Amino acid sequence: MHYNPDWREAVHAGSPSLPGNRKRAFLNSFLEAEAFQSPWFSSRFTVSLWVERGPASVFYAGKVTCCTMLSCNICGETVTSEPDMKTHLLIVHMENEVTCPFCKLSGVNYDEMCFHIETAHFEQNELEKNFERINTVQCGTSNSRKDSTLQCRMEVNSSIHSACASNHPKISAQGPPNNGILKHKGFHSENLTESRKFLKSKEKQSDRTKIKGSIYEAMYSPPECPFCGKIEGCSQDMETHVKTEHADLLDTPLEDCNQPLYDCPMCGLICTNYHILQEHVDLHLEESNFGQGMDRVQCSRDLELAQQLQQEEDRKRRSEESRQEMEEFQNLQRQYGLNNSGGYKQQQLRNMEIEVNRGRMHPSEFHRRKADMMESLAIGIDDGKTKTSGIMEALYRYYQNAATDVRRVWLSTVVDHFQSSFGDKGWGCGYRNFQMLLSSLLQNDAYDDCLKGMSVPCIPKIQSMIEDAWKEGFDPQGASQLNNRLQGTKAWIGACEVYTLLTSLRIKCRIIDFHKSTGPLGTHPRLFEWILSYYSSEREGSPKVLFTSKPPIYLQHQGHSQTVVGIEERKNRTLCLLVFDPGCPSREMQKLLKQDMEASSVKQLRKFVGNLKHKQYQIVAVEGVLSSEEKIARRQASQVFTAEKIP
């Protein structure tokens, strides 16, 4: 089929005509058909679509001649009826050509494209807004006349085509044909969607609104106005409300109007009304205040959580500290014999049983020693099994005949050595040193009055004597620390308990506390000097070896105690203490009793300045006998126990 504009008059002259009203109604129904709501029927230009039925049957300038056979002027397809032609044009030449004018989306049908533009390009779709405004102005009062409606539609379509052509330079560059007829070749796929969309009639508009309303109702139910918060029953009512009540917010201000614009200082939104801007800013402030309130609530919750965590951590820390403190206290109790694990007697029997089980002691020896122990405990006197006597005399002979590197030496009076036994091993050094000190005092006539008829007591007896001194009122603080009980325990004793016991026996003594180092590398040279001054009462030129009348000195440091029985002054003017250690076995001490004593045997007694590096040392030095009045005075002074400190 061919289209020739020059045939119009000739064909029109020979074509059958219809009555005016019938022709107009037929043309209107033809133009309003859905298949022809497309750019193929343009505005302002005469549209002539030639559909052949023989040599002279045409549609011409709004006049229609019905034909029995219809042929498509695009592809030549022949159909038998107008509905088939409409379907052909819609399916073959229209559905596949719909393209989004904004994002070039294609391959969808008309309704899907309309929904795409409504949702994806709501702000850009200003052509629809212009259509609604122009349609309201021009077509609002002319619904009764079909010709006016058709003319209105043509004018609108022309404006839409112009808008589409302005968006697509390819189309605008073509321009209309000189004869006022727009050929189908001049249309491009970019304009199909826009032209078809805006050629929708007023009658079809309500159907499309219903479709959109159903979609929005499925997505948002119930709808709420985004400007004033009003809630409507359906989306159609909400759309009507927004368009009527908030039309000034929807329409973009025209450039040619002098309407003032107001910018939001917080988000940059442009408003045409000052009151709307004020409401908009108030919404910002409310959101800000709400956010600050939420921040305060969150901070309060965080603070409460932090406090709970801190309290839980403090509780765990206190619990752990209490547990460690209890463990340390129990260790101290066990270390100092206050854990109710038995005393001297129980430990003696238990250790002898162990020796029997290991085959180191015969059962008969076990029973013999047990009997001797029970007898000693009954009379309260040490059985002498661990005592070594005569050592002081042997030392006197050794220094007389040997020790060429020694310039002078001072020795205490006779002192017996007492070794720790099975019953007090690990905790009885203080008791054994008291036995050594008492053994010297018992052999010194100056103390016969206060020690008359006394023998060296056994350890349980010494514990009983200290408890008696506490009962008299000596050292109440020390008594409370040991729960006023020593018998039946393995409690340690130190310088204070020895002082208390000696004072209760009317023996004059003093405690000197060397509480810190007085020499390099943590040494205590002042301690050595004090002991030298204690022993040296003779003038220069006295004999090399001097037996003095001085009792031995009780020497205490952390965890152990010893007995000082003399002091050496060597030729290089250095000092060396001679010390009895209760931890030294009796067999080693007995080597000193040999006639040909070796220097190596004396070595175990020597303590040079560099050998005493404990942080603190205390000594108990005996100085004579107390009168009864002095004893009472010292008992009163022991209520707050103090020691003489050097330095």
Side-chain angles (χ1 to χ4, degrees):
M1 178 180 176
H2 302 280
Y3 166 69
N4 188 348
D6 296 335
W7 292 4
R8 288 181 298 175
E9 296 296 328
V11 173
H12 176 64
S15 62
S17 60
L18 295 173
N21 293 335
R22 291 183 62 189
K23 289 190 291 183
R24 186 179 297 109
F26 183 83
L27 178 61
N28 289 338
S29 63
F30 186 77
L31 290 175
E32 291 173 1
E34 182 179 0
F36 290 89
Q37 302 301 319
S38 69
W40 292 110
F41 291 84
S42 178
S43 63
R44 293 191 182 180
F45 302 105
T46 303
V47 178
S48 296
L49 178 62
W50 290 76
V51 184
E52 287 189 356
R53 182 189 178 220
S57 297
V58 295
F59 288 123
Y60 162 64
K63 297 180 182 181
V64 179
T65 299
C66 296
C67 304
T68 57
M69 293 298 293
L70 303 176
S71 178
C72 178
N73 69 334
I74 300 175
C75 63
E77 179 75 19
T78 302
V79 296
T80 59
S81 63
E82 291 180 6
D84 293 339
M85 177 57 67
K86 296 176 183 179
T87 304
H88 168 74
L89 291 175
L90 176 64
I91 296 176
V92 176
H93 302 297
M94 295 179 65
E95 293 286 53
N96 295 333
E97 297 294 336
V98 179
T99 305
C100 178
F102 303 107
C103 65
K104 306 304 180 185
L105 174 69
S106 62
V108 297
N109 59 32
Y110 173 77
D111 291 333
E112 292 174 341
M113 180 58 67
C114 288
F115 179 74
H116 164 72
I117 293 174
E118 288 285 344
T119 56
H121 307 293
F122 178 77
E123 295 180 357
Q124 296 172 320
N125 190 14
E126 300 196 10
L127 291 177
E128 183 177 4
K129 298 177 183 179
N130 294 331
F131 171 79
E132 292 175 355
R133 289 199 300 271
I134 296 172
N135 189 31
T136 302
V137 174
Q138 295 183 359
C139 302
T141 60
S142 61
N143 291 332
S144 62
R145 297 181 59 189
K146 295 294 182 176
D147 293 339
S148 299
T149 304
L150 177 60
Q151 183 179 0
C152 178
R153 184 184 296 110
M154 290 300 181
E155 293 176 358
V156 173
N157 290 339
S158 176
S159 66
I160 294 171
H161 176 72
S162 299
C164 293
S166 65
N167 289 333
H168 302 281
K170 183 186 296 184
I171 299 173
S172 63
Q174 278 184 332
N178 293 330
N179 54 8
I181 299 173
L182 182 64
K183 296 182 180 180
H184 70 276
K185 294 180 182 179
F187 292 97
H188 295 273
S189 60
E190 291 84 350
N191 296 327
L192 292 177
T193 304
E194 292 302 322
S195 298
R196 182 177 183 181
K197 177 173 147 187
F198 293 111
L199 284 172
K200 280 296 182 178
S201 64
K202 201 90 172 188
E203 294 80 1
K204 299 294 181 178
Q205 206 169 23
S206 61
D207 296 336
R208 194 173 64 212
T209 304
K210 293 179 180 179
I211 296 173
K212 291 188 292 182
S214 62
I215 295 174
Y216 287 124
E217 287 175 5
M219 297 177 62
Y220 309 97
S221 180
E224 180 180 354
C225 178
F227 303 105
C228 64
K230 182 178 180 181
I231 298 176
E232 295 288 351
C234 63
S235 299
Q236 185 175 1
D237 295 341
M238 178 55 64
E239 184 177 357
T240 303
H241 165 76
V242 172
K243 288 182 179 179
T244 56
E245 299 295 333
H246 307 290
D248 54 343
L249 295 178
L250 294 176
D251 292 340
T252 302
L254 299 178
E255 296 180 356
D256 56 351
C257 67
N258 296 324
Q259 184 179 7
L261 302 179
Y262 303 94
D263 294 342
C264 175
M266 306 182 74
C267 67
L269 179 68
I270 299 176
C271 300
T272 59
N273 188 289
Y274 174 76
H275 298 288
I276 296 175
L277 175 63
Q278 185 176 3
E279 294 178 358
H280 173 73
V281 174
D282 290 340
L283 290 176
H284 278 299
L285 297 177
E286 290 178 2
E287 292 178 356
S288 177
N289 294 333
F290 178 77
Q292 293 177 1
M294 292 298 295
D295 292 341
R296 287 193 294 270
V297 172
Q298 186 64 31
C299 291
S300 178
R301 292 177 179 175
D302 292 343
L303 179 60
E304 292 178 359
L305 179 59
Q307 291 176 350
Q308 292 177 0
L309 293 176
Q310 184 64 37
Q311 291 175 359
E312 182 66 18
E313 184 178 353
D314 293 342
R315 186 188 63 80
K316 291 181 179 180
R317 179 178 52 80
R318 288 192 298 268
S319 177
E320 182 65 20
E321 290 178 355
S322 299
R323 186 187 62 80
Q324 292 181 357
E325 183 178 355
M326 181 59 66
E327 289 181 357
E328 292 176 358
F329 179 71
Q330 292 175 354
N331 291 335
L332 288 174
Q333 283 185 322
R334 182 168 53 255
Q335 179 181 357
Y336 292 101
L338 299 175
N339 57 347
N340 298 323
S341 60
Y344 177 87
K345 175 182 176 181
Q346 290 78 8
Q347 181 173 322
Q348 178 83 4
L349 293 175
R350 185 164 52 249
N351 288 335
M352 287 195 301
E353 289 175 357
I354 293 174
E355 292 296 313
V356 172
N357 293 334
R358 293 177 179 176
R360 299 176 183 176
M361 182 182 295
H362 196 273
S364 60
E365 179 70 13
F366 170 81
H367 290 289
R368 186 183 64 81
R369 289 193 177 187
K370 180 179 178 181
D372 294 341
M373 180 195 66
M374 298 303 293
E375 182 180 357
S376 174
L377 294 178
I379 62 177
I381 299 175
D382 187 80
D383 55 8
K385 301 291 184 180
T386 63
K387 182 176 72 171
T388 302
S389 302
I391 299 176
M392 301 306 298
E393 291 83 353
L395 289 175
Y396 181 83
R397 291 192 299 269
Y398 169 77
Y399 284 111
Q400 285 285 6
N401 302 323
T404 57
D405 57 342
V406 176
R407 178 173 177 268
R408 185 173 297 176
V409 59
W410 290 266
L411 301 174
S412 295
T413 55
V414 179
V415 182
D416 296 332
H417 177 267
F418 287 84
Q419 174 200 350
S420 296
S421 63
F422 286 130
D424 63 286
K425 188 176 183 180
W427 59 273
C429 59
Y431 301 98
R432 296 298 181 180
N433 285 310
F434 176 78
Q435 287 179 333
M436 297 182 198
L437 177 58
L438 188 60
S439 67
S440 178
L441 295 176
L442 289 174
Q443 300 182 60
N444 192 329
D445 296 338
Y447 301 95
D448 288 343
D449 184 39
C450 55
L451 299 177
K452 189 175 183 179
M454 181 178 292
S455 300
V456 177
C458 61
I459 290 179
K461 180 63 176 179
I462 297 174
Q463 292 176 329
S464 176
M465 294 169 66
I466 296 175
E467 290 179 359
D468 293 339
W470 288 341
K471 292 176 182 179
E472 291 183 31
F474 288 95
D475 190 15
Q477 295 181 357
S480 62
Q481 292 177 2
L482 296 173
N483 296 325
N484 295 294
R485 178 173 173 266
L486 290 176
Q487 294 188 80
T489 69
K490 291 181 280 190
W492 294 14
I493 62 171
C496 294
E497 286 72 33
V498 172
Y499 172 88
T500 297
L501 180 54
L502 291 174
T503 305
S504 66
L505 296 175
R506 293 179 48 233
I507 296 175
K508 184 179 180 179
C509 56
R510 58 191 292 199
I511 296 179
I512 299 93
D513 184 9
F514 298 89
H515 58 96
K516 64 179 181 179
S517 171
T518 55
L521 302 177
T523 58
H524 294 266
R526 292 285 299 274
L527 170 64
F528 284 74
E529 294 172 3
W530 193 95
I531 293 176
L532 177 62
S533 64
Y534 173 79
Y535 279 108
S536 61
S537 56
E538 302 294 332
R539 296 188 307 273
E540 194 72 21
S542 59
K544 175 183 178 181
V545 184
L546 180 63
F547 249 133
T548 67
S549 59
K550 299 289 186 179
I553 298 174
Y554 180 92
L555 176 65
Q556 175 78 49
H557 61 80
Q558 179 62 38
H560 193 49
S561 60
Q562 298 169 314
T563 300
V564 179
V565 296
I567 185 171
E568 293 179 352
E569 182 185 13
R570 307 180 75 82
K571 289 185 177 180
N572 59 1
R573 297 291 180 176
T574 60
L575 300 176
C576 176
L577 299 181
L578 300 176
V579 176
F580 282 0
D581 191 342
C584 182
S586 298
R587 60 178 178 273
E588 296 295 329
M589 299 298 294
Q590 290 174 0
K591 294 179 180 179
L592 299 172
L593 301 179
K594 296 180 180 179
Q595 293 294 331
D596 52 349
M597 183 189 305
E598 299 178 359
S600 60
S601 300
V602 182
K603 185 177 180 179
Q604 62 182 343
L605 304 180
R606 288 176 171 154
K607 301 293 179 182
F608 293 94
V609 174
N611 299 129
L612 302 183
K613 292 185 178 181
H614 285 276
K615 181 179 179 180
Q616 181 181 11
Y617 288 91
Q618 291 180 339
I619 63 174
V620 180
V622 177
E623 295 178 338
V625 178
L626 293 173
S627 63
S628 299
E629 292 77 9
E630 290 175 335
K631 176 182 176 180
I632 295 173
R634 295 211 172 191
R635 180 181 64 194
Q636 187 65 28
S638 69
Q639 302 297 314
V640 181
F641 209 92
T642 57
E644 178 183 351
K645 291 187 176 182
I646 298 177

